[in-house]
Amino acid sequence: MDLLDAMRTTPATRAFTDDDIPDEVVYEILDAARFAPNGGNRQAWKVVIVRDPAVKEEIARLYDLGAREYSAHAQAGLVPFSAGEAHWRTEPAVDLEAARQTPTTMSSRHIATAPVLVVILLDLDRCSAVDSGLDRLSISAGASVYPFAHNILLAARSRGFGGHFTSVLARQEHALRTLLNIPENVALATMLPLGKPEKELSKLKRAPVEEFTTVGTYDGPAFTK
Ligand SMILES: Cc1cc2nc3c(=O)[nH]c(=O)nc-3n(C[C@H](O)[C@H](O)[C@H](O)COP(=O)(O)O)c2cc1C
């Protein structure tokens, strides 16, 4: 598949067939993904492959708790866990305890049943957050791991498999830490359930270039063809 086509047509896949994704293919995918750019080339990512049904079930349960918190924000008309507020907000914007008791329409079943869960971690002692201390949320450490995670989705697609990022699992990072023996200095970046897509979805909705690109300054004219 042409690289530009792959970039334009790799969706978030949340429904899988019963087909397995063999370990050889998972290895091949990781073997390609590891060439991702990352700060200082320190490659501070770490990956845990989960296939045990009981562990997948527990991760799905933790994911569901995170999804409930996320949905409660969305239902209140808020950007869930808005990054713009993260630096100063000390009290949650919604009642998280109540949210965790309230079922959500965001399904977690495909996480329990996906053939493999790829848990992507970042060793915080080995990567830089060069935008720290700027009186806003630091975001740059994530740049040392998310290109790697996206490469996994692209490589999976090239082999007929799919998956999606799962940031809401981060809400239960402490429980995941215990479940998978993750050390304190290592953070959950994301988790990708991978499997054979039930349907081939490849038409993605995104804003056109002119909507998010300007020339010269932030408020400059739109960059057009
Ligand atoms: C940082 C990040 C976090 C995400 N977290 C979740 C998640 O927790 N659950 C989920 O179902 N999808 C998650 N997604 C997938 C997005 O919902 C998806 O990329 C977006 O809606 C576009 O979907 P599409 O590529 O199918 O058009 C996440 C994506 C990113 C990049």
Side-chain angles (χ1 to χ4, degrees):
M1 175 180 274
D2 175 73
L3 177 60
L4 291 187
D5 283 344
M7 289 165 63
R8 295 177 77 109
T9 63
T10 299
T13 301
R14 301 185 182 89
F16 306 113
T17 66
D18 292 337
D19 292 289
D20 190 19
I21 168 164
D23 269 346
E24 303 84 79
V25 177
V26 174
Y27 187 95
E28 189 189 12
I29 288 169
L30 292 171
D31 196 31
R34 71 195 164 97
F35 292 95
N38 64 94
N41 202 19
R42 280 182 291 274
Q43 300 159 67
W45 50 70
K46 181 91 173 76
V47 174
V48 180
I49 302 293
V50 175
R51 283 190 185 273
D52 182 322
V55 180
K56 285 192 293 187
E57 192 67 55
E58 178 59 5
I59 292 177
R61 189 184 72 80
L62 298 175
Y63 174 89
D64 185 55
L65 290 174
R68 290 175 181 208
E69 291 186 4
Y70 186 92
S71 297
H73 286 81
Q75 269 162 25
L78 302 169
V79 172
F81 302 101
S82 160
E85 297 180 354
H87 186 70
W88 55 262
R89 181 173 279 289
T90 50
E91 290 297 316
V94 300
D95 180 345
L96 296 180
E97 182 114 20
R100 289 193 295 273
Q101 312 294 327
T102 311
T104 166
T105 51
M106 260 174 97
S107 173
S108 57
R109 273 300 73 203
H110 66 288
I111 290 172
T113 58
V116 67
L117 303 183
V118 180
V119 180
I120 303 178
L121 307 165
L122 183 66
D123 184 335
L124 300 180
D125 293 334
R126 286 174 54 210
C127 84
S128 305
V130 292
D131 62 346
S132 358
L134 296 185
D135 204 22
R136 63 160 173 79
L137 181 72
S138 169
I139 61 162
S140 67
S144 278
V145 66
Y146 293 119
F148 170 72
H150 189 218
N151 267 1
I152 292 176
L153 291 185
L154 291 171
R157 177 158 164 77
S158 85
R159 291 294 175 266
F161 295 95
H164 67 93
F165 280 67
T166 58
S167 61
V168 302
L169 183 60
R171 298 299 308 161
Q172 291 290 325
E173 186 185 67
H174 59 287
L176 194 75
R177 194 176 288 295
T178 307
L179 186 68
L180 303 181
N181 294 334
I182 301 168
E184 280 300 324
N185 60 326
V186 175
L188 172 68
T190 190
M191 182 278 288
L192 312 175
L194 290 186
K196 179 83 71 190
E198 211 170 72
K199 277 195 210 129
E200 191 60 38
L201 302 170
S202 59
K203 204 158 172 31
L204 311 187
K205 271 206 271 180
R206 299 290 189 271
V209 171
E210 345 350 51
E211 236 175 76
F212 59 83
T213 314
T214 53
V215 181
T217 57
Y218 188 90
D219 55 357
F223 179 62
T224 55
K225 268 194 242 185

